[in-house]
Structures are given as C-alpha cells and as structure tokens.
Amino acid sequence: MNADTAYHGKKGEHFAVASADHVYNAHTDRPAMLRLAGDVTGLSVLDLGCGAGHYAVELAERGAGRIVGVDGSESMLGIARERLGDRAELHLHDLEEPLDFLPDASFDLALMALVYHHVDAREQLLAGIRRALRPGGALLVSTTHPTADWQYFEGSYHAHDRVEFPIGDGHTITYWRMSLEQFIGELLGAGFVLEELAEPRSTEAGRQVDARRYEKTHNRPTFLAVRLRRP
Ligand SMILES: C[S@@+](CC[C@H](N)C(=O)[O-])C[C@H]1O[C@@H](n2cnc3c(N)ncnc32)[C@H](O)[C@@H]1O
C-alpha cells in the first residue's frame, strides 16, 4: 500500500497560500525551473503535481499552448481551477497509478516541481512521462537537495527512506530522501538524458519577502532542479 501523499483538504489550502510568495517556492524553485523551461511559447506542457497552479499560471502567461495539470488533491485542484479557468485542463489523479489517460508523444515539456520525491512508484511514473513526451521533449524535475535532507534528518547520507517534514500550521508531509546518485540514477535509468543541473538560490525579490531565508538559500543547499531530454 503506497502512502497517500497528496496535500488533501486544509493541508493543500495551507500550502497553496504559503507557497504563493514564499522564498523557497516563489523565489527559489519556480524561477529556477522556469529558467530551465526556456521559451514555452506554443508548447504543450504537462504539469505533474500541479498543486494550486502556481506554475500553470506562469506558463499560461508565458504563452504555453496547451497546459495539462495533474494532482491528487481535490482542494489544490479547486484552487487551481479558480485561478486558471479554461487556460488549463486539470485532472484529479494519484501519481502512484499509471498515466494511461495521457496519449503517447503528446507533450513537448513535462514538469514535476517538488513532487517526484513524494512518490513510491517512481519507475512507473517516469515510464509514463517518457511515453507521453514526444521524442526530443524535455522533462524538468525539482526536489529537496540531498545534502539539505542529510543535514536536517542526519543519519547516513546514503539513506533511502521515507521522512516526515513539517510545513507549518501543524501540517506535515512525507517524502523519500535520497542521495544525488539515487536521484540522478533513477532519471537516467528511465532513459532520459541529463541536460542541466541547478542548485537554485533565491532571486533578489525573495530578499524583500524574507531576508533570513533568502540568505539561507545563498549559503546552504536547498533544492535541486534538473532538465532532461527524452531521446
Ligand atoms: C510541494 S507541492 C508542489 C506543488 C506545485 N508543483 C508547486 O510547486 O507549486 C506537492 C504537490 O504534489 C501533490 N502530490 C503529492 N503526492 C501526490 C500523488 N501521489 N499523486 C498526485 N499528486 C501528489 C500534492 O497534492 C501537492 O500539490
């Protein structure tokens, strides 16, 4: 039985508000991933673990042609639906299950921002993404930085186990911590080619929001973001 890791109910509502202008999400992870995305004009984009649609809104504003968002949380999708209207197709779906509803070779770009590490069935998920991407299409993945997890949770750097992490207001999330070798190895093992790896730091705008966390992202590893190509 897989863990039910989608951010249901109040947890989703809390994360949607907290991440809208948070240094870690709005000013560190998102700018880095959107830079890795490059020019999205006219592209068909698959946003896996789309949450409240923070990425989808940006992609729509940058001229993406078709945006398909997938998430396992009704509360998150409800917020995304309100914000996006008919600018995105949204699907309620557990990423532990196959992506059979997506046609073959139908996307130019797939992104998974801070969701991959939640999933148990990652091999199946990557195979589904590979099938849904057209040859030459790109996959962007961001995750918690392995050394940040090691510092926080301690124990062995090479530990590959589920951990629990507080996200405020009494909510916790659970995800797999893994070494860099494990993370990159899974993506390459699924047949993707690594094109770029980033260790994002907050943009200048984040300093105004929260100077302490801004400094933290400039001194300590926080997230990893990679761009891969489907050959
Ligand atoms: C950290 S949030 C990131 C949301 C969005 N990508 C962003 O950056 O704003 C993780 C998201 O993954 C979703 N999620 C986690 N596990 C999932 C699963 N098994 N199936 C579908 N969605 C899942 C959660 O509901 C949540 O929306």
Side-chain angles (χ1 to χ4, degrees), residues 38-51:
D39 182 1
V40 297
T41 312
L43 298 189
S44 179
V45 184
L46 175 61
D47 181 359
L48 294 160
C50 63

Side-chain angles (χ1 to χ4, degrees), residues 4-8 46-51 68-74 76-77 81 89-102 115 119 121 124-125 128-129 131:
D4 184 1
T5 52
Y7 297 11
H8 297 294
L46 175 61
D47 181 359
L48 294 160
C50 63
V68 175
V70 177
D71 203 279
S73 159
E74 273 187 65
M76 297 286 263
L77 284 179
R81 213 165 269 130
E89 296 162 39
L90 300 173
H91 296 264
L92 180 65
H93 177 77
D94 182 354
L95 294 174
E96 301 291 358
E97 301 299 326
L99 295 173
D100 290 346
F101 61 101
L102 299 173
V115 60
V119 177
Q124 169 182 272
L125 175 59
I129 297 170
R131 182 188 55 72

Side-chain angles (χ1 to χ4, degrees), residues 6-230:
Y7 297 11
H8 297 294
K10 297 272 178 230
K11 187 193 290 189
E13 290 166 20
H14 164 75
F15 183 81
V17 174
S19 60
D21 196 32
H22 197 287
V23 168
Y24 292 160
N25 301 94
H27 303 289
T28 305
D29 176 63
R30 284 207 291 280
M33 288 280 274
L34 290 167
R35 182 187 68 73
L36 289 177
D39 182 1
V40 297
T41 312
L43 298 189
S44 179
V45 184
L46 175 61
D47 181 359
L48 294 160
C50 63
H54 294 314
Y55 270 93
V57 167
E58 297 266 0
L59 292 163
E61 282 168 3
R62 286 159 199 242
R66 175 184 181 223
I67 302 167
V68 175
V70 177
D71 203 279
S73 159
E74 273 187 65
S75 66
M76 297 286 263
L77 284 179
I79 299 167
R81 213 165 269 130
E82 267 180 32
R83 301 179 66 206
L84 286 153
D86 61 5
R87 293 186 291 169
E89 296 162 39
L90 300 173
H91 296 264
L92 180 65
H93 177 77
D94 182 354
L95 294 174
E96 301 291 358
E97 301 299 326
L99 295 173
D100 290 346
F101 61 101
L102 299 173
D104 291 359
S106 48
F107 293 95
D108 303 299
L109 173 68
L111 69 96
M112 277 195 288
L114 305 178
V115 60
Y116 181 69
H117 51 292
H118 284 305
V119 177
D120 288 342
R122 297 191 297 277
E123 197 177 331
Q124 169 182 272
L125 175 59
L126 290 174
I129 297 170
R130 196 184 152 154
R131 182 188 55 72
L133 276 173
R134 67 164 174 78
L139 168 63
L140 311 183
V141 188
S142 63
T143 190
T144 56
H145 199 292
T147 59
D149 282 342
W150 182 40
Q151 273 191 323
Y152 184 84
F153 297 107
E154 301 182 334
S156 167
Y157 167 74
H158 295 286
H160 182 215
D161 51 14
R162 268 200 182 275
V163 288
E164 266 199 33
F165 185 76
I167 57 166
D169 260 13
H171 300 290
T172 58
I173 56 172
T174 160
Y175 64 86
W176 286 91
R177 66 163 160 172
M178 59 186 93
S179 64
L180 181 62
E181 178 180 279
Q182 177 78 28
F183 175 64
I184 297 293
E186 289 181 8
L187 297 167
L188 300 186
F192 290 94
V193 175
L194 180 62
E195 289 192 329
E196 192 173 342
L197 182 149
E199 294 177 305
R201 277 143 273 182
S202 173
T203 59
E204 199 48 37
R207 195 201 289 270
Q208 316 306 321
V209 175
D210 183 337
R212 185 183 66 82
R213 287 197 171 98
Y214 167 91
E215 289 298 334
K216 215 170 153 191
T217 69
H218 282 260
N219 291 303
R220 289 161 170 254
T222 310
F223 298 122
L224 268 188
V226 291
R227 179 182 169 101
L228 304 124
R229 183 168 39 81
R230 179 234 201 269

